[in-house]
Amino acid sequence: MSETPEIGGRKPMVVNVEAGKSYWWCACGRSKSQPLCDGSHKSTTFSPREFKPETTGEVWFCTCKRTTTPPLCDGSHKKLAPA
Ligand code: FES
């Protein structure tokens, strides 16, 4: 059975990314440096996900970890139950 990630945030975060650079998106939701991995997944079954953009510019990373298009936001945070 797969674990459910924690909710890392309730809104996506915009990051200015550089083409060809690797970004490690937090998949577990525990990172204190959302939306990117800080190593906090070590006690979970999750691993960070590499994102290597082809173009330089702004991207909206998912922080709620409920997106169906990781690591990018698909609007799923709007369906979260109220905190
Ligand atoms: Fe969440 Fe690494 S801290 S995947």
Side-chain angles (χ1 to χ4, degrees):
M1 213 176 93
S2 63
E3 273 183 90
T4 303
E6 289 188 19
I7 295 170
R10 304 185 72 86
K11 284 187 177 157
M13 287 179 80
V14 67
V15 176
N16 275 304
V17 297
E18 272 177 54
K21 193 174 160 188
S22 285
Y23 296 84
W24 293 91
W25 178 72
C26 167
C28 73
R30 294 180 175 213
S31 173
K32 299 282 181 275
S33 343
Q34 293 294 332
L36 303 178
C37 174
D38 72 353
S40 300
H41 60 270
K42 290 207 167 70
S43 55
T44 73
T45 57
F46 293 97
S47 308
R49 183 182 182 110
E50 185 178 19
F51 177 68
K52 217 175 199 182
E54 288 176 7
T55 53
T56 295
E58 289 186 347
V59 295
W60 289 88
F61 282 108
C62 167
T63 64
C64 75
K65 315 306 173 186
R66 302 298 185 271
T67 181
T68 59
T69 56
L72 304 177
C73 174
D74 72 349
S76 292
H77 60 278
K78 292 183 191 141
K79 295 183 231 148
L80 292 173

